Amino acid sequence: MKILRGASKVSLVKKRLSIFVALLVGFVGLDLTPALAVDERVIDVVAVTWAGAAAPAGGVNEVAKVINTEVNADWKKFTTLYGDAKDRPISFVSGKILTEPISLISKMACSGYAAADFLTSIRPEAYKRLGISDYTNRYLVVIAPKAGCVWSGRAALGGPKSVSGTLILQDSASGYVITHELGHTFGLGHSNFLRCDNAANDGAWSDTCKAVEYGGTIDVMGNVDTTSPLNTYHQWRMGYLDDSQIKQVWQSEVVNLAPSDFANGIRAIYIRDGKAAYWVEYRRKLEGVGYKPGLAIFRLDPPPITSVVSPNPEDAAAEEFGMALGTDVWMLNLDSYQYRDARAIGGSMTALTATTYSGNVSLSAVASETGAVVTIKKKTDNVAPPVPPVVAVDQWRSPNMTILKAGYEDADTAIVGFEAQIDSAVQSIKASDIDGWVPTYLNPFIAPKTLYLRDLPEGSYNFALRAIDILGNKSQWSPTQKVFIDRGRPVVTNDFVLTAVNSNELSLQWKGATDPGSGICQVDVVDEDGLVIQSSSVKNAPVFKVAGGTTLSGTAQVFDCIGNGMKGDVSISTSFVSGDKSAKTGKWSPAGAAYGAGAIKCIGKCTASLSVAGKNNVLVGAGAASIAIGNKAVATIADSKTAKMRIGASIDAGATKKVVRISGSNFVLIGLSSFSTTIGTFKEFDRSPEVSDPSLTDSKQSALSKFGFRASDFSQEWTVLPMVGGTTTDDPTLDLCNGVFLSEKERVERRQISATKLGSTFTFLSSEVVRYSSAAAATAAQKELLKVFTDCQTNKGYKDATGALVPYEFKTLNNIPAGVVSESNRVFVYTNIDTGTKARTLLGFYQFSGEMFTGLYVLNTAGFSDAQVEKWLKVAATMASRLKG
């Protein structure tokens, strides 16, 4: 799995610029009393080694001492805000120390999946040796010898409420590195630097203005050792700033800004300028820091990966940041600051004046020891917002969908309301927060406004829309559309009719699913897990196909064409005996494609006899016939010249099987059928808005999406989207039993889909598709996988980096369905993995065809019943069918 951006690697380190005591003395003159630390956290220390490794730069005792002194002092200072009435400081103390290093079976990995796996596996092994069973509220520092990595420290990204974490030190005992990595465990990203080669202090991301990783050395989340306060953006992410202490500026105004290390007052300014986002804070005079008193400004809008300058190769291969509000910031150089690397820095990055690169916003500050009066001049926005891009009416399929296309916003301000033209009459219309809003760098605090279909008035009318921004500017009207808003729900009754028979399969139309408004447009029948068993999108005539002698049952989800819905249980049981299975006299021949397989045609005078019980429909085509049960005539079928299926007669053979004879001349016999249906109580259930998959704009990903999972395979409660990193070949494919797969480098394209649902019983549910460089490369991959699988069976698991056995208990898969690929082109895995709280069960279906591979992975913690295994084997057959095209 891919390591999150922010699982950090600290490169070159510079010596400390100041000490905590000197800073504390400097504050006494302000008559401000810092709060005392009450949140004390424990860091345990272990070391690792491997064959041929040299001793690391520092031992466990040295690191423990650094934790108790430098690291503890740093985090007390960072979390002590002056004038704070709350006890919020965090301190760290060393805990248990493992005197003997843990021997690894190979050199520690620096990057990729192996490094992430080590970060995960070393923690339980270390605590096992430390004799600590509950380590949920403890931190772990792992000291490693030099391994050739570009980083000195590494930690997984946590969150503001995290109370544990694992830090890896490579050939280092630096207190700064530990302090920095602990920042990542709190969910903090890096303090980076926006460096423009033309000496500008700001600019659009480009070849000229680059994002220099770690270069924002104003605080400890850069890569220079400093005890200066955390930037207020990171303080906000940790919960040390309330939203009320951040002033979002839309137009010219004056803001009284408190220093970055104070607890009270307005402590940050947020400004949006086009697609750029600025975070402004005031840094007052402090002893030992490398900057002058003044404003510090950070960009929150992330750069494209092509504009990132980093010593870490992983950063160049990372996915684009996207719109979501991130953990990193990019510091502007407002003065004489220079940065090449941690050994070559100098100058101050703060100033009392600044202008954004667009020229639309300027700032000037009058500074004092207790704050700065900041005058913001913003170019007056008299520009109308863009015309709202209203989705075409034929795509209005859910009451809960927004009728505005994705990405709509005002360039300089925010949309706060809408007006509608209803048959030319102008009226206000409800503007709603976007459902499920996630903060973005352009909207970090308040959800943007949108218009939902559910908020439009009911009826048929001509509709147009305009938007109003926060300054009162109004957009032009959108193009007028004729709309029909239907609030009524479908009506569902137990009324099914037989419409067709083909071979042993009956087609039944649900006549009882109706809607007098927009009509029925979609009916799905889903199983207990939410997998779609059958689906019909035939408007106003949903049809389901059921094999004779089987039952289709599940939850029916019935939707009209605007997304109003009902759901409830449905069960359809059928029986069918085709005409060609009868005992026959006379001359018969196949009836032809118009009647489906199994239908027969009598030439001349004929009789067909079938044994059935209960109520049955006699299905015939053209011609006339008579029906007898035993020797008693029970019905006559009228003549027809039309070559299509019809129910010639309905009969009742009784509780036990009896012989039914159909006699006549020149007629078509399709067979005898019966079906029974039941429905449960239906309740209201609206269709959910479709989830957009941006990856499908890529032609290669679009082609791969025809394989593996599709959104239509699941009920609407599921989200089916590519995993993080799932559209690249950076993450592994054949990761069974921690094996080594040289064939991974032969992957050309990859798409891994994850299916998730709130309350799902699956720990992991995913499909993966890979295109290899050739069919030979795919074959080699299958052979590698089979060898690893066989070895894992023999060894009953594998050994992790620490040498501990991860146990696997393999099970036999029976009744493999016919639709999967041949045995020589597949590896099917059914196994219990690990024990105790880490125990889980995997169903893994790996299938190869030509240059293509498809994987189906089903993981849970409760194991699988035989029926569940059978179901997922059928899904594997579906994956194989798609693989083979």
Side-chain angles (χ1 to χ4, degrees):
M1 293 182 182
K2 185 176 181 179
I3 298 172
L4 296 173
R5 277 191 67 85
S8 84
K9 297 134 289 192
V10 177
S11 296
L12 306 171
V13 178
K14 202 171 184 180
K15 278 294 182 184
R16 184 176 302 279
L17 301 176
S18 61
I19 60 172
F20 180 74
V21 174
L23 289 172
L24 185 60
V25 171
F27 292 133
V28 172
L30 293 176
D31 196 27
L32 296 171
T33 305
L36 299 177
V38 294
D39 184 357
E40 187 174 86
R41 306 189 182 193
V42 176
I43 304 178
D44 304 302
V45 185
V46 302
V48 297
T49 190
W50 53 84
V60 290
N61 291 315
E62 182 181 348
V63 168
K65 181 179 178 180
V66 166
I67 290 168
N68 290 326
T69 54
E70 294 180 29
V71 174
N72 182 45
D74 284 345
W75 277 103
K76 274 186 179 179
K77 180 180 183 304
F78 297 154
T79 55
T80 299
L81 301 176
Y82 288 84
D84 196 352
K86 304 173 184 176
D87 288 331
R88 297 190 291 177
I90 297 172
S91 69
F92 288 97
V93 295
S94 63
K96 296 193 73 172
I97 296 172
L98 189 65
T99 56
E100 290 296 320
I102 300 170
S103 294
L104 306 183
I105 59 177
S106 61
K107 185 176 74 171
M108 180 184 70
C110 295
S111 61
Y113 181 80
D117 184 60
F118 173 70
L119 199 65
T120 302
S121 63
I122 190 62
R123 186 173 175 86
E125 181 63 23
Y127 278 108
K128 177 182 175 182
R129 300 194 187 197
L130 286 167
I132 299 173
S133 58
D134 182 4
Y135 45 88
T136 53
N137 294 327
R138 302 177 78 96
Y139 294 78
L140 178 70
V141 168
V142 180
I143 308 167
K146 195 167 188 176
C149 309
V150 298
W151 46 266
S152 297
R154 190 172 198 137
L157 193 67
K161 295 184 179 180
S162 297
V163 292
S164 65
T166 301
L167 291 65
I168 311 296
L169 303 182
Q170 183 211 197
D171 197 33
S172 174
S174 165
Y176 157 68
V177 174
I178 299 171
T179 298
H180 176 105
E181 296 306 323
L182 284 170
H184 289 307
T185 70
F186 291 123
L188 308 186
H190 288 143
S191 295
N192 306 307
F193 175 39
L194 190 159
R195 182 179 66 198
C196 295
D197 295 339
N198 60 2
N201 60 19
D202 189 20
W205 297 117
S206 63
D207 290 337
T208 301
C209 291
K210 298 279 193 177
V212 182
E213 195 79 3
Y214 311 109
T217 58
I218 197 167
D219 61 25
V220 75
M221 297 316 292
N223 70 340
V224 170
D225 191 358
T226 176
T227 59
S228 67
L230 294 173
N231 66 70
T232 52
Y233 180 75
H234 283 154
Q235 290 184 44
W236 174 59
R237 293 193 67 90
M238 286 184 67
Y240 284 80
L241 248 76
D242 297 331
D243 287 358
S244 63
Q245 294 181 283
I246 304 162
K247 177 66 175 178
Q248 182 164 5
V249 173
W250 295 110
Q251 53 192 332
S252 298
E253 63 178 294
V254 176
V255 178
N256 292 314
L257 193 58
S260 61
D261 57 332
F262 277 30
N264 302 311
I266 299 298
R267 299 177 55 213
I269 300 169
Y270 172 82
I271 304 172
R272 205 170 87 182
D273 185 11
K275 298 296 183 182
Y278 296 85
W279 187 278
V280 184
E281 67 184 27
Y282 171 57
R283 294 258 167 172
R284 66 193 182 93
K285 182 180 180 180
L286 296 172
E287 293 185 29
V289 300
Y291 52 80
K292 304 171 186 176
L295 301 179
I297 301 181
F298 305 89
R299 286 269 292 275
L300 301 187
D301 53 299
I305 295 302
T306 55
S307 293
V308 174
V309 177
S310 173
N312 301 316
E314 285 178 312
D315 291 334
E319 291 193 341
E320 299 293 344
F321 286 89
M323 291 292 295
L325 188 64
T327 60
D328 285 14
V329 294
W330 291 266
M331 182 191 76
L332 272 58
N333 173 22
L334 303 181
D335 192 8
S336 58
Y337 181 70
Q338 294 182 356
Y339 177 92
R340 188 169 69 242
D341 57 39
R343 294 191 183 96
I345 63 168
S348 174
M349 66 288 288
T350 56
L352 295 176
T353 60
T355 301
T356 62
Y357 72 84
S358 71
N360 292 333
V361 183
S362 64
L363 301 98
S364 61
V366 178
S368 70
E369 185 70 0
T370 58
V373 179
V374 183
T375 300
I376 301 137
K377 293 184 178 179
K378 199 169 189 296
K379 183 178 177 181
T380 302
D381 177 16
N382 295 320
V383 179
V387 175
V390 179
V391 174
V393 171
D394 61 3
Q395 298 176 40
W396 293 9
R397 296 172 186 155
S398 167
N400 298 315
M401 69 174 284
T402 173
I403 65 168
L404 300 181
K405 294 179 182 177
Y408 175 65
E409 59 191 13
D410 192 0
D412 295 304
T413 59
I415 302 299
V416 295
F418 299 98
E419 289 180 336
Q421 276 186 347
I422 308 293
D423 285 336
S424 299
V426 178
Q427 65 181 64
S428 281
I429 199 155
K430 181 181 178 182
S432 299
D433 291 348
I434 293 177
D435 291 343
W437 168 72
V438 175
T440 67
Y441 58 81
L442 292 179
N443 293 287
F445 311 113
I446 301 173
K449 299 297 184 181
T450 191
L451 179 60
Y452 284 97
L453 181 56
R454 62 180 179 245
D455 294 326
L456 293 182
E458 190 167 11
S460 177
Y461 47 83
N462 293 308
F463 172 79
L465 187 71
R466 70 181 176 192
I468 307 169
D469 71 17
I470 199 169
L471 299 180
N473 301 308
K474 295 183 179 182
S475 73
Q476 296 296 310
W477 291 103
S478 67
T480 300
Q481 299 188 68
K482 183 69 175 180
V483 304
F484 175 64
I485 306 299
D486 165 28
R487 300 280 181 240
R489 295 186 178 276
V491 177
V492 181
T493 63
N494 188 16
D495 183 8
F496 292 80
V497 297
L498 182 68
T499 58
V501 174
N502 188 15
S503 187
N504 191 39
E505 187 176 73
L506 280 66
S507 295
L508 299 168
Q509 182 184 348
W510 195 349
K511 298 282 285 187
T514 60
D515 184 82
S518 57
I520 298 296
C521 269
Q522 181 79 30
V523 179
D524 297 328
V525 178
V526 304
D527 71 8
E528 68 280 0
D529 289 320
L531 270 68
V532 174
I533 305 169
Q534 281 202 41
S535 180
S536 177
S537 57
V538 181
K539 186 168 182 180
N540 294 327
V543 173
F544 297 99
K545 297 179 178 180
V546 186
T550 67
T551 298
L552 170 67
S553 64
T555 299
Q557 299 177 347
V558 183
F559 302 108
D560 69 13
C561 297
I562 208 166
N564 304 304
M566 301 289 287
K567 73 172 182 177
D569 293 337
V570 65
S571 178
I572 306 171
S573 298
T574 68
S575 68
F576 177 69
V577 183
S578 60
D580 63 353
K581 298 296 190 294
S582 63
K584 299 177 283 290
T585 62
K587 186 176 181 181
W588 295 86
S589 65
Y595 295 105
I600 53 177
K601 180 178 181 180
C602 165
I603 301 172
K605 188 175 182 180
C606 313
T607 297
S609 301
L610 295 160
S611 294
V612 295
K615 295 179 179 179
N616 283 264
N617 294 316
V618 181
L619 307 180
V620 296
S626 60
I627 304 170
I629 297 177
N631 295 319
K632 182 181 179 181
V634 294
T636 299
I637 299 172
D639 189 24
S640 174
K641 306 299 183 185
T642 305
K644 69 176 186 179
M645 189 197 78
R646 57 185 172 131
I647 298 175
S650 296
I651 62 171
D652 188 350
T656 59
K657 278 191 175 183
K658 294 184 178 64
V659 175
V660 178
R661 293 184 176 86
I662 304 98
S663 303
S665 300
N666 302 314
F667 72 98
V668 172
L669 175 63
I670 298 169
L672 270 62
S673 75
S674 68
F675 67 89
S676 62
T677 60
T678 59
I679 64 171
T681 301
F682 275 69
K683 60 183 180 180
E684 295 180 359
F685 183 71
D686 288 337
R687 191 208 302 263
S688 297
E690 292 184 7
V691 178
S692 173
D693 181 355
S695 73
L696 296 179
T697 58
D698 179 89
S699 59
K700 293 179 179 178
Q701 287 298 310
S702 179
L704 291 178
S705 69
K706 296 176 176 61
F707 311 98
F709 282 153
R710 303 167 183 168
S712 58
D713 294 332
F714 294 85
S715 64
Q716 63 173 17
E717 298 92 334
W718 287 86
T719 299
V720 185
L721 288 172
M723 294 174 57
V724 175
T727 59
T728 74
T729 55
D730 296 336
D731 291 348
T733 294
L734 306 180
D735 53 357
L736 181 66
C737 292
N738 204 37
V740 176
F741 299 93
L742 299 178
S743 58
E744 297 285 78
K745 67 180 184 297
E746 296 296 329
R747 297 175 300 161
V748 177
E749 300 165 11
R750 172 175 171 266
R751 179 177 178 82
Q752 185 164 10
I753 295 294
S754 175
T756 58
K757 183 185 76 167
L758 185 66
S760 168
T761 59
F762 302 106
T763 307
F764 186 60
L765 180 57
S766 174
S767 71
E768 185 173 15
V769 180
V770 170
R771 187 186 306 278
Y772 285 89
S773 60
S774 65
T779 299
Q782 191 273 340
K783 293 184 182 304
E784 276 190 321
L785 179 63
L786 182 60
K787 183 179 186 305
V788 169
F789 174 57
T790 303
D791 290 346
C792 199
Q793 284 180 308
T794 301
N795 298 325
K796 297 183 179 179
Y798 72 90
K799 291 185 178 180
D800 67 15
T802 67
L805 179 70
V806 179
Y808 278 55
E809 179 191 351
F810 289 92
K811 300 184 177 185
T812 302
L813 283 169
N814 299 310
N815 303 318
I816 306 295
V820 300
V821 301
S822 64
E823 188 170 0
S824 61
N825 289 305
R826 71 179 190 240
V827 175
F828 283 2
V829 180
Y830 182 18
T831 182
N832 293 329
I833 304 172
D834 223 322
T835 58
T837 58
K838 295 183 290 182
R840 64 251 189 222
T841 302
L842 169 70
L843 282 169
F845 305 99
Y846 304 78
Q847 303 184 80
F848 298 81
S849 179
E851 65 188 20
M852 300 299 298
F853 159 80
T854 185
L856 169 63
Y857 318 120
V858 190
L859 194 72
N860 72 11
T861 57
F864 299 98
S865 67
D866 290 345
Q868 289 173 319
V869 172
E870 182 183 1
K871 176 172 73 175
W872 290 109
L873 278 166
K874 289 179 180 177
V875 176
T878 300
M879 298 295 106
S881 175
R882 293 174 183 176
L883 184 67
K884 292 181 280 190

